[in-house]
Amino acid sequence: MKPEKQIIVKSPYEYQLIISKKYSPLSKKFLTQFELKTIHEFTNFKYAIIVESIINNHTIHFDILGLSTPFVTIPNTGPAIFTVEYENLSGIYDVIITKGNKTNKNKFSIKIDKKNIILKKLPPKAFVELIIKNNNI
């Protein structure tokens, strides 16, 4: 009997952007967390994504600059990750993610209130998969 062939389905996305809300008991404020991670998982090191993050009025811009090697010498596996948290976001925001020479761009529109995040608009052709986690704080 022939061994079964493994079918590998390639994702159309290069990154995932996971947006979630959480409450910080220390600052007593609601935070919106943005976690950008690669779809590709690395086998030798768990890299960090170098991102320039700017928030201006109701636009949040993430410019992906590359990857950096980890500071620890213990090997680990998994996707490369960048995480940032913002306090007191409220209203409709454009989230723009660029990479490379900034010609590759995805623009999402989201509505953020005290407890929820709602998707308003997706880009027509995305290299980033958007995941919204509303955990009903």
Side-chain angles (χ1 to χ4, degrees):
M1 187 160 117
K2 286 185 175 181
E4 289 185 35
K5 289 187 178 180
Q6 185 178 11
I7 299 172
I8 299 173
V9 178
K10 186 174 178 178
S11 171
Y13 304 107
E14 295 177 53
Y15 299 91
Q16 281 183 337
L17 178 63
I18 302 163
I19 306 173
S20 60
K21 298 287 290 183
K22 66 185 206 179
Y23 181 75
S24 171
L26 294 174
S27 66
K28 296 186 167 113
K29 294 183 180 181
F30 287 94
L31 304 173
T32 305
Q33 180 176 336
F34 296 84
E35 181 181 75
L36 184 67
K37 64 183 187 176
T38 59
I39 296 294
H40 176 77
E41 294 202 5
F42 297 92
T43 56
N44 293 327
F45 293 108
K46 196 168 185 178
Y47 291 92
I49 303 174
I50 302 169
V51 175
E52 183 178 89
S53 174
I54 300 168
I55 186 166
N56 187 9
N57 293 323
H58 279 262
T59 301
I60 303 166
H61 188 206
F62 298 111
D63 187 13
I64 300 169
L65 303 173
L67 300 176
S68 70
T69 55
F71 296 109
V72 294
T73 56
I74 301 169
N76 200 353
T77 62
I81 297 175
F82 166 80
T83 304
V84 66
E85 295 172 343
Y86 293 112
E87 291 182 356
N88 300 325
L89 296 183
S90 181
I92 296 176
Y93 288 83
D94 287 331
V95 179
I96 300 170
I97 303 168
T98 57
K99 67 174 187 157
N101 58 5
K102 296 187 183 185
T103 57
N104 291 330
K105 178 165 82 169
N106 282 178
K107 181 178 176 183
F108 303 92
S109 289
I110 57 173
K111 181 180 178 185
I112 302 172
D113 62 30
K114 198 171 195 174
K115 295 187 179 185
N116 290 308
I117 303 160
I118 300 163
L119 176 65
K120 297 303 251 178
K121 186 179 176 187
L122 282 169
K125 187 176 179 185
F127 63 88
V128 177
E129 176 183 26
L130 182 65
I131 299 171
I132 294 173
K133 291 186 177 179
N134 285 314
N135 28 2
N136 299 324
I137 305 172

